[in-house]
Amino acid sequence: MKVVLINASPRNSSSSASLLESLKRYLDGQIETVELHCSKKVVSEDDLKQLRDADRWVIACPLYVDGIPGHFLSCMKQIADEVKSTPHVYGIINCGFYEGIQTDLALEILENWCCKSDYSWGGGVGVGGGGALASLPKLEPGVGPKAPVDKALKNLAETVLKNIPQKNEFVSLAFPRFLYKLAAQWGWRGAIKTNGGCAKDLNKRLS
Amino acid sequence: MKLIIADIENIPFEVHGEYKMIRPQEKIHNCIGCFGCWVKTPGICVIHDGYETTGSDMGKCSELIVVSRCDYGSYSPFVKTVMDRGISYIHPDFVIRKGEMHHKRRYKNVIALSAYFYGENITEREKWTAGKLLKANADNYDGKVKEIKFFESIEELEGIRV
């Protein structure tokens, strides 16, 4: 019995990594876990072996243009071609939008992939407010704006440990939407100033 | 202008009027999630591999036509990577539309989005997902869906009129 935790973000430091870290806390000591980072279009032979050796996979992925990032779609095709086992597959999708429900399409694509590849879809968690996850202060699990996310991850960990399917669960941060929207706007203005630009450059239209 | 994003080098149908086609001529680098196209060089991707102007090309088009293999109800990796690289079409700030958070417009054009999916054994479930994907894209681009069709093979695309 082994769980592979697959970080499908192209970034080294990401909300996907932070979500997997939180999930892992609920799994530690109860089952062997292995962590993979699929940041490129190709999955290494070593990583394919890890996938073949595990009976459960958890894929954590950011939402890109309403779906799965292009590089990870390549990885999914390669895995489907080269890993002919029958794992239970779970998904954690995070999006920059406030509403976790906006990740439902990406979870559906993962489910379709499982159907086509003879893997068992185990359901997953869709997380809204992903843009803030990596920058939130580290608090005890279940405390602060991330509390609903921690609860959903705890439920998912229990499901993974039992090796059974669950219904997709969609959550948002315990933080008002208008404040999240404002914080994002301040964030973009700060970022462009750090890069030597000014706030109005954010509106640039190229002809 | 019509903007066509295709994952095949030679599309087997004619396009009427002015158009630009993005196809797999050069190797494409995937989006690295750096948001440089929003906060470093607004409107253009920081990876210069021939696909960096996708966002501004989208800002000039009236129609976006996608020709793609249907992979699990999604666009193929090439088409999806082009779209990922084109997020500078929209503005980083959020707006609320139809009760949900989306990105603000950068450009004024309203895109009519069509998709022609091909592939053997596309399941009904995958077609359902692909339809929802197109609708979600149109919502995020603040555009509209024009047409979606499915074909069993690339050869069958011959019947398309755009």
Side-chain angles (χ1 to χ4, degrees), chain A residues 98 175-190, chain B residues 92-96 101:
Chain A
Y98 182 81
F175 193 73
R177 185 168 75 171
F178 81 96
L179 281 180
Y180 178 78
K181 184 169 167 269
L182 268 179
Q185 286 179 205
W186 291 331
W188 297 125
R189 276 146 191 78
Chain B
D93 284 352
F94 294 127
V95 290
I96 307 298
M101 189 172 274

Side-chain angles (χ1 to χ4, degrees), chain A residues 90 107 121-126 155-156 159 164-170:
Chain A
Y90 303 88
L107 286 168
W121 173 241
V125 176
N155 292 343
L156 181 67
T159 307
I164 56 169
Q166 70 162 47
K167 281 189 177 170
N168 292 338
E169 187 175 352
F170 300 100

Side-chain angles (χ1 to χ4, degrees), chain B residues 31-120:
Chain B
C31 172
I32 53 170
C34 72
F35 301 120
C37 61
W38 281 343
V39 297
K40 280 186 185 160
T41 55
I44 192 157
C45 177
V46 297
I47 304 166
H48 290 238
D49 60 355
Y51 298 93
E52 63 272 18
T53 60
T54 301
S56 60
D57 290 338
M58 289 171 71
K60 292 173 201 148
C61 77
S62 53
E63 280 193 48
L64 175 60
I65 299 163
V66 173
V67 180
S68 175
R69 195 181 59 217
C70 187
D71 287 334
Y72 321 118
S74 168
Y75 307 114
S76 65
F78 175 80
V79 166
K80 186 58 176 43
T81 303
V82 173
M83 296 181 82
D84 294 345
R85 295 278 303 279
I87 60 158
S88 67
Y89 172 63
I90 46 178
H91 191 287
D93 284 352
F94 294 127
V95 290
I96 307 298
R97 282 200 292 269
K98 297 177 192 166
E100 273 194 342
M101 189 172 274
H102 295 287
H103 284 286
K104 201 169 117 179
R105 296 185 147 272
R106 179 188 300 279
Y107 295 95
K108 288 182 178 168
N109 63 321
V110 176
I111 292 178
L113 185 57
S114 300
Y116 301 99
F117 286 104
Y118 67 89
E120 285 176 17

